[in-house]
Amino acid sequence: MSEFESASRPSADPGAGSPEKERGRRRSMLVAAFGTVVEWYDFSIFFYVATTLTKEFFGGQADSLLLTLGVGAAGFLFRPLGAMVFGHLGDRVGRKHALVVSAVLMAVSMLGIAVMPDYNTIGIWAGVGLVFFRCLSGFSVGAEYTGIMVFLMESAKPGKRGVAASWAAANSEVGALLAVGSGALLANTLSTEAMESWGWRILFILGALLAALMVPLRRMMVETDTFKRLQNAEKTDVALQRSPLITAILEQPRAIIVAFLISSIGSVSYFLNITYVPTYIEEVAKVPNSGSLALGTVAAVVAIVVTPFFGVASDRFGRKVSLAGLMVVFIFTTIPAYVLLSNDSAAIAIGGAAFLAIPAAGWSAVAAAMIPEQFTGTSRFSGMAIGYNVATVLFGGLSPLVATWLMSSTGLTLAPAIYATVIVIVAGVPVLFLARSMGRKTLAEIDEDRHLVPA
């Protein structure tokens, strides 16, 4: 038995301890959960105002929307790089410190986009600047969602990890709602000319302020007991002195694969069933920007409301059962819901948005606890960061681009729905066989599970 294993036995309940420690634990969890608001506001607002950014940075030329979506996708390409850097920091220096640095870089990237001169002022350099700051944003959030899920999972009480981690997913939808809601407010308040000229910049300034606010808040967070035990064990256990990323790749490849597969479905469903909805409606149904953003707001609200209930369900009925049920819903409702989106009736279109948002939110809620439970504490941050962020690149940032390209090349307006359904089937079936059911185990049992760490 390693130093880390023996040290982990007394702390099955992260909430055990003095009232002061309990208050610190709760405060840290609240701060951590709030962080996903900023991350998903950042990435959501880019796609919600994609048509405006196209005109501002690329002159609004033919097919330049694809170029703008490509810039958004480029940001996602830097997430795995950020994941490797911040994952190492999270497992070696601390979960809290990695999240503080990430918040600083997010603030810089969003402020940079907000003040960047447009295409008419500096020509092609406007697009170059947009690419740079978008890539910086992608690098910075390599730590965000994964780090927050790890923090919440390690801080939650036994039997409550599902509902605790689901708040990270719920707050990511709060970030999306804040993005689409503020965008809709400005679009309905300002004239079209004002919105396209300077109104959109306010949205990125708001994001920069939120990210800057996270810096002092995260400095007050208390490290998880898991990381503290790792620090103590590392002094005497040579195996723990190896790179956490290498440890994850060599000792927990199955966990990385499961994280990738679960995150692939979560990414494609979130970015096509929630974030991409306003752009889809504008392109297919020719609905004005204000109307499409309003419909996107409905999808975000529905997602926020249902997310914690799925977290509770995963604690009660099990993670695998919950995912299997959601897969069935995905397969049979995605295409019909997309049909409803382009309906002339606003009520029917709203119903379509809701049908798309519910399973997407549910999957994110269950995944928030299930993915970190696949790893032991020695490389949880690093391993999860790689599996999650690679999936987010391929099936998150690229999904809107792929969906738009598929519609353009095939002429099928339902191409995004078909694409999403295929990904759910291809990635979902292996998950049901490969994923481990760890929801009913204590954190100490997970961290010393012999199936996860070879003897």
Side-chain angles (χ1 to χ4, degrees), residues 312-374:
V312 172
S314 73
D315 280 330
R316 183 168 182 178
F317 303 111
R319 317 280 192 239
K320 276 193 178 182
V321 172
S322 301
L323 290 188
L326 287 166
M327 278 184 61
V328 173
V329 175
F330 271 129
I331 293 168
F332 288 102
T333 65
T334 300
I335 294 176
Y338 262 86
V339 173
L340 298 179
L341 282 181
S342 56
N343 194 281
D344 293 335
S345 169
I348 293 177
I350 289 173
F355 274 119
L356 287 172
I358 290 173
W363 191 275
S364 295
V366 179
M370 188 172 186
I371 295 176
E373 285 175 347
Q374 303 300 305

Side-chain angles (χ1 to χ4, degrees), residues 54-92:
T54 298
K55 298 175 183 178
E56 286 294 294
F57 290 96
F58 299 107
Q61 302 172 7
D63 295 327
S64 54
L65 176 60
L66 281 175
L67 186 57
T68 303
L69 294 176
V71 173
F76 280 85
L77 292 175
F78 276 75
R79 289 182 71 123
L81 178 59
M84 287 188 286
V85 174
F86 286 111
H88 182 87
L89 289 176
D91 283 327
R92 277 287 182 265

Side-chain angles (χ1 to χ4, degrees), residues 56-58 116-120 122-131:
E56 286 294 294
F57 290 96
F58 299 107
M116 177 63 57
D118 61 16
Y119 180 84
N120 292 329
I122 59 174
I124 192 175
W125 292 106
V128 172
L130 181 65
V131 171

Side-chain angles (χ1 to χ4, degrees), residues 194-372:
M195 182 65 181
E196 294 182 351
S197 176
W198 55 269
W200 65 270
R201 296 181 185 273
I202 296 177
L203 301 175
F204 284 93
I205 291 175
L206 174 60
L209 292 175
L210 288 173
L213 175 64
M214 290 305 303
V215 176
L217 290 177
R218 285 180 172 177
R219 291 178 66 87
M220 295 188 296
M221 291 168 63
V222 178
E223 280 292 357
T224 67
D225 288 340
T226 294
F227 177 74
K228 292 176 181 177
R229 293 195 298 271
L230 277 172
Q231 280 189 312
N232 293 330
E234 186 180 339
K235 298 174 182 177
T236 55
D237 195 328
V238 176
L240 292 179
Q241 297 174 10
R242 182 171 54 190
S243 166
L245 178 60
I246 299 300
T247 299
I249 293 173
L250 295 180
E251 298 183 357
Q252 303 183 60
R254 178 174 170 180
I256 294 176
I257 292 172
V258 171
F260 172 80
L261 293 173
I262 294 176
S263 301
S264 296
I265 296 176
S267 296
V268 77
S269 63
Y270 182 89
F271 281 94
L272 288 187
N273 292 9
I274 298 179
T275 305
Y276 184 66
V277 165
T279 301
Y280 178 83
I281 295 172
E282 286 184 47
E283 291 296 306
V284 174
K286 305 303 179 184
V287 174
N289 182 255
S290 58
S292 67
L293 287 176
L295 198 57
T297 303
V298 171
V301 170
V302 170
I304 293 168
V305 172
V306 303
T307 295
F309 293 101
F310 282 102
V312 172
S314 73
D315 280 330
R316 183 168 182 178
F317 303 111
R319 317 280 192 239
K320 276 193 178 182
V321 172
S322 301
L323 290 188
L326 287 166
M327 278 184 61
V328 173
V329 175
F330 271 129
I331 293 168
F332 288 102
T333 65
T334 300
I335 294 176
Y338 262 86
V339 173
L340 298 179
L341 282 181
S342 56
N343 194 281
D344 293 335
S345 169
I348 293 177
I350 289 173
F355 274 119
L356 287 172
I358 290 173
W363 191 275
S364 295
V366 179
M370 188 172 186
I371 295 176

Side-chain angles (χ1 to χ4, degrees), residues 85-228:
V85 174
F86 286 111
H88 182 87
L89 289 176
D91 283 327
R92 277 287 182 265
V93 181
R95 288 36 167 155
K96 179 181 77 172
H97 295 298
L99 292 173
V100 168
V101 176
S102 173
V104 172
L105 295 182
M106 276 199 298
V108 171
S109 64
M110 280 189 279
L111 183 62
I113 293 177
V115 301
M116 177 63 57
D118 61 16
Y119 180 84
N120 292 329
T121 304
I122 59 174
I124 192 175
W125 292 106
V128 172
L130 181 65
V131 171
F132 171 79
F133 285 113
R134 200 61 188 162
C135 290
L136 178 62
S137 177
F139 178 85
S140 67
V141 300
E144 282 296 311
Y145 197 58
T146 51
I148 290 166
M149 283 193 286
V150 168
F151 194 96
L152 291 175
M153 178 266 192
E154 291 182 348
S155 300
K157 293 183 177 180
K160 300 291 184 181
R161 289 196 298 267
V163 66
S166 72
W167 283 108
N171 281 351
S172 70
E173 287 130 17
V174 171
L177 175 62
L178 180 61
V180 72
S182 56
L185 177 63
L186 283 180
N188 284 281
T189 302
L190 302 176
S191 65
T192 301
E193 293 75 17
M195 182 65 181
E196 294 182 351
S197 176
W198 55 269
W200 65 270
R201 296 181 185 273
I202 296 177
L203 301 175
F204 284 93
I205 291 175
L206 174 60
L209 292 175
L210 288 173
L213 175 64
M214 290 305 303
V215 176
L217 290 177
R218 285 180 172 177
R219 291 178 66 87
M220 295 188 296
M221 291 168 63
V222 178
E223 280 292 357
T224 67
D225 288 340
T226 294
F227 177 74
K228 292 176 181 177

